[in-house]
Amino acid sequence: NLFLGLFILRANPKKRINQIYFSLTFGLAAWALSFAAILVGGDSALFSRFVFFGASILVSAILSFSLIIGEIKGKVYQILFPLIAGFIFAVLSLFTKFIIAGSSITQKDIKMNYGPLYQLFLLYAIFCVFVSIYFLFKKFRHSSSLLRQQLKYTFLGFALFLIPAIITNGILPGVFGISAFNKFGPVFSLFLVSFIGYAIYKHRLFDIKFILRKSTVFALILTFIATFWLLGTTFVFKYFPPFLAVFIPSFIITVSFIPLKNFLERLTEKYFFTK
């Protein structure tokens, strides 16, 4: 999920929806990896804070994503509430004991020791999850053509991830005191990455044509540089001292990089990305 988020952000870092999706995957990674760190014997007091730090970013980004997706030009004011609330809960989780006071492991189950504001955070997380699903479904019903297909798979991915995750990591431990299943919450994100990935591949979510074009050119340039470097240095070492044997191929690669990049962009556009 995190690598997918980085890939999407790198493709178009100025686009609001890409920024939000990266924030979502960052929060998800912090949440999931902190659980893993506790399970393998990490500092439970420290990593339990990061569990809720990541969860605060995750649920806020999920709500922001559902508000922005499908909009022609997403504005900051549309996500002002989850932006502020997520920041407050993230800070409280990381630097105070108001949300989480610590954790302990009993027979490989992670039992959280909650702070006085945990119930407020739980209500906020449940609100974000179900309002997000509502907005995604509403936008799906009122959309058409390409956006409808994008929203269909996005909605399925979010629903299959969020509903079981909020049950195993929010309702069961927070309301009923059952913590045996909370470590399985992050596993449900496989649904999210699978459906988002399919929407990207099949229905051009996040401007996939742009992403494919740039990544294809990058892969070709990387292949050329690696091949030329290996062959060039091997050949030049036979006739020149070590410094020149490294300098000559490096100089050729440097001066030819931009012309090569432009050439490959024209080539891939002509043969791979024209209809």
Side-chain angles (χ1 to χ4, degrees):
N1 275 284
L2 180 60
F3 284 138
L4 179 61
L6 285 166
F7 185 67
I8 289 168
L9 181 68
R10 177 67 181 83
N12 194 345
K14 294 183 179 180
K15 195 171 183 180
R16 188 78 63 196
I17 191 70
N18 295 32
Q19 297 169 356
I20 293 172
Y21 189 76
F22 169 72
S23 300
L24 188 159
T25 59
F26 174 78
L28 175 59
W31 175 59
L33 293 174
S34 298
F35 265 120
I38 294 172
L39 285 170
V40 299
D43 186 339
S44 59
L46 173 64
F47 286 109
S48 61
R49 295 178 183 275
F50 276 98
V51 166
F52 283 85
F53 169 77
S56 301
I57 296 173
L58 173 61
V59 295
S60 300
I62 285 168
L63 180 55
S64 300
F65 185 89
S66 69
L67 294 170
I68 290 291
I69 190 170
E71 304 295 329
I72 296 175
K73 194 173 183 180
K75 302 292 185 180
V76 174
Y77 72 84
Q78 293 175 285
I79 58 171
L80 200 57
F81 168 69
L83 193 67
I84 295 173
F87 175 78
I88 292 173
F89 280 118
V91 170
L92 290 176
S93 298
L94 201 57
F95 299 108
T96 75
K97 294 184 178 182
F98 289 125
I99 307 292
I100 179 72
S103 66
S104 58
I105 298 181
T106 57
Q107 297 179 342
K108 291 297 181 181
D109 291 335
I110 301 174
K111 183 174 179 56
M112 296 290 179
N113 303 317
Y114 303 120
L117 295 183
Y118 170 75
Q119 295 297 330
L120 179 63
F121 171 77
L122 178 58
L123 288 173
Y124 172 69
I126 293 172
F127 169 81
C128 287
V129 166
F130 287 100
V131 171
S132 298
I133 292 173
Y134 166 76
F135 273 112
L136 287 171
F137 184 68
K138 182 180 178 181
K139 289 184 177 185
F140 167 72
R141 288 190 61 191
H142 294 90
S143 61
S144 59
S145 68
L146 179 61
L147 178 60
R148 185 177 181 85
Q149 295 302 314
Q150 294 174 345
L151 286 169
K152 177 172 70 175
Y153 292 102
T154 303
F155 168 76
L156 287 172
F158 272 75
L160 291 173
F161 163 51
L162 293 176
I163 293 175
I166 200 68
I167 291 173
T168 56
N169 289 74
I171 296 174
L172 286 180
V175 179
F176 300 101
I178 301 172
S179 58
F181 306 102
N182 58 5
K183 60 180 175 290
F184 298 113
V187 177
F188 295 106
S189 68
L190 291 172
F191 289 112
L192 178 64
V193 73
S194 298
F195 280 97
I196 290 290
Y198 184 79
I200 289 172
Y201 171 74
K202 190 72 174 178
H203 300 292
R204 292 175 55 190
L205 184 64
F206 299 114
D207 295 331
I208 186 57
K209 184 177 179 180
F210 172 83
I211 296 173
L212 282 177
R213 184 190 298 118
K214 294 299 181 184
S215 59
T216 301
V217 171
F218 173 77
L220 290 173
I221 290 175
L222 187 62
T223 302
F224 170 81
I225 290 175
T227 303
F228 181 82
W229 175 265
L230 290 172
L231 294 177
T233 51
T234 301
F235 176 78
V236 176
F237 260 114
K238 294 180 180 180
Y239 305 100
F240 294 93
F243 171 75
L244 288 176
V246 173
F247 175 78
I248 292 173
S250 301
F251 179 77
I252 294 173
I253 289 172
T254 301
V255 297
S256 63
F257 179 82
I258 296 300
L260 176 65
K261 172 179 172 293
N262 294 337
F263 169 75
L264 290 174
E265 284 182 339
R266 291 194 300 270
L267 190 68
T268 54
E269 184 68 27
K270 180 178 180 180
Y271 290 103
F272 295 102
F273 299 107
T274 54
K275 294 183 179 180

